[in-house]
Amino acid sequence: MNAVGKIGLGCLGAVGAWCVLLRPRKNQPGWEELAGVKYAHRGLHDPARSVPENSMAAFRRAVEHGFGAELDVHLMADGELAVVHDSDLTRVCGRQAYIEDLTAADLGEYPLMGTQETIPLFREVLALFEGRTPLVIELKVERNNANALTDRVMAALEGWKGSYCLESFHPGVLLRLKERYPQVLRGQLSQNFLKASEVNGLSLPVRFALTNLLTTALTRPDFIAYNWQDRKNPSLRLMRALYGVHEVGWTVRDHAVMDELAEDGVTSIFEGFVP
């Protein structure tokens, strides 16, 4: 075989390996209860109405409008679960502290964005949504707590009567779900980390792997939640074309974009408008 032929075979082998690496889990029951629902990003928040993100007011507003909700969960020092996006509370509470260092008893001292709302507990949000609209629950890993966080979230969800899926940027969460909670729909969050301005000190190889969903080989997600602006990523497109993987698009801030994504079978997480 000449050099050109060897190169051709090598390329075919590389493409084949790439396809194998990107194989998700297929046909896990439950997605039909989540598809077709519009999910309010961090609840149906509206600063102009003094309804801050990830607040009980925002979640009540989502339920009242018939929307599902996306929310963020952190593990606190006392083992409770708090619903807030940032680990550092400076942005959302105007006071520097880390949610992982606090307890449930501390939360009343941390009003959200100058309102009367405070950081809710996960169990409070679950009680609101039980028997109502679905949840997309993002697990926010900090200080290498992927396993402990995942276990606590699953304990909180035990016996809960509602539809939900779990997602995370951290592959460790998906691996824990795969190993211990295979019945749960799990999703890999991602975006183009190669151009993202905030990469939290991730090395270039890690950024490349996360951008191109290469951890799929280990975690076998049921869906991919990708920044909709980066959804031309070749790995995501290949996963959809070859395997029909479910796609969730975040964060949609325009009705026309939501309609376009829906036509392509993408479930939207939205904010900034009421569809």
Side-chain angles (χ1 to χ4, degrees):
M1 181 181 293
N2 59 30
V4 173
K6 290 179 180 179
I7 292 172
L9 281 177
C11 290
L12 285 174
V15 170
W18 184 28
C19 293
V20 171
L21 286 174
L22 295 176
R23 182 168 57 86
R25 183 167 67 165
K26 295 188 67 176
N27 302 319
Q28 177 67 14
W31 185 257
E32 63 280 359
E33 299 174 8
L34 304 172
V37 177
K38 299 178 177 68
Y39 294 89
H41 186 234
R42 306 178 195 172
L44 195 60
H45 58 95
D46 186 348
R49 296 172 179 260
S50 296
V51 180
E53 66 180 58
N54 276 324
S55 66
M56 291 302 294
F59 295 129
R60 283 193 295 269
R61 194 163 174 251
V63 168
E64 289 166 1
H65 282 76
F67 300 133
E70 180 269 355
L71 57 90
D72 309 282
V73 180
H74 286 259
L75 180 61
M76 294 193 294
D78 60 353
E80 283 275 15
L81 296 164
V83 177
V84 65
H85 182 270
D86 303 355
S87 176
D88 181 351
L89 301 181
T90 303
R91 179 183 68 88
V92 294
C93 296
R95 179 179 173 187
Q96 188 171 28
Y98 290 92
I99 192 66
E100 285 76 22
D101 295 328
L102 304 182
T103 68
D106 297 323
L107 296 185
E109 302 175 15
Y110 290 85
L112 289 167
M113 298 180 174
T115 70
Q116 298 299 309
E117 296 286 324
T118 55
I119 296 169
L121 295 172
F122 184 48
R123 52 184 165 85
E124 295 172 329
V125 179
L126 289 180
L128 174 65
F129 278 89
E130 187 158 27
R132 296 177 174 175
T133 51
L135 293 174
V136 176
I137 303 165
E138 179 181 347
L139 278 62
K140 306 291 278 189
V141 174
E142 297 289 341
R143 306 175 186 178
N144 299 312
N145 68 355
N147 289 348
L149 172 62
T150 305
D151 290 344
R152 291 295 297 175
V153 168
M154 289 309 306
L157 286 164
E158 186 175 359
W160 183 69
K161 296 177 176 61
S163 300
Y164 70 93
C165 60
L166 301 185
E167 64 177 17
S168 183
F169 282 102
H170 198 295
V173 168
L174 277 73
L175 192 58
R176 188 70 162 186
L177 291 170
K178 176 187 171 187
E179 293 173 346
R180 293 205 172 184
Y181 312 99
Q183 76 280 9
V184 175
L185 287 164
R186 56 183 185 262
Q188 180 65 58
L189 269 160
S190 195
Q191 64 184 63
N192 186 350
F193 286 102
L194 297 174
K195 72 174 185 181
S197 58
E198 296 183 14
V199 294
N200 296 322
L202 297 176
S203 68
L204 182 59
V206 170
R207 289 161 59 192
F208 179 85
L210 294 177
T211 296
N212 291 292
L213 306 169
L214 299 184
T215 59
T216 296
L218 296 174
T219 60
R220 299 291 188 230
D222 299 294
F223 66 96
I224 303 298
Y226 217 87
N227 186 330
W228 76 267
Q229 297 179 79
D230 299 331
R231 65 184 299 260
K232 291 184 179 179
N233 175 270
S235 289
L236 177 59
R237 297 180 73 171
L238 189 60
M239 289 180 75
R240 289 203 64 185
L242 281 183
Y243 305 118
V245 72
H246 304 300
E247 181 184 352
V248 175
W250 60 272
T251 301
V252 178
R253 297 180 174 88
D254 181 87
H255 207 308
V257 171
M258 176 179 279
D259 290 343
E260 182 180 335
L261 291 173
E263 290 178 4
D264 199 25
V266 179
T267 298
S268 286
I269 296 172
F270 72 93
E271 74 174 8
F273 68 102
V274 178

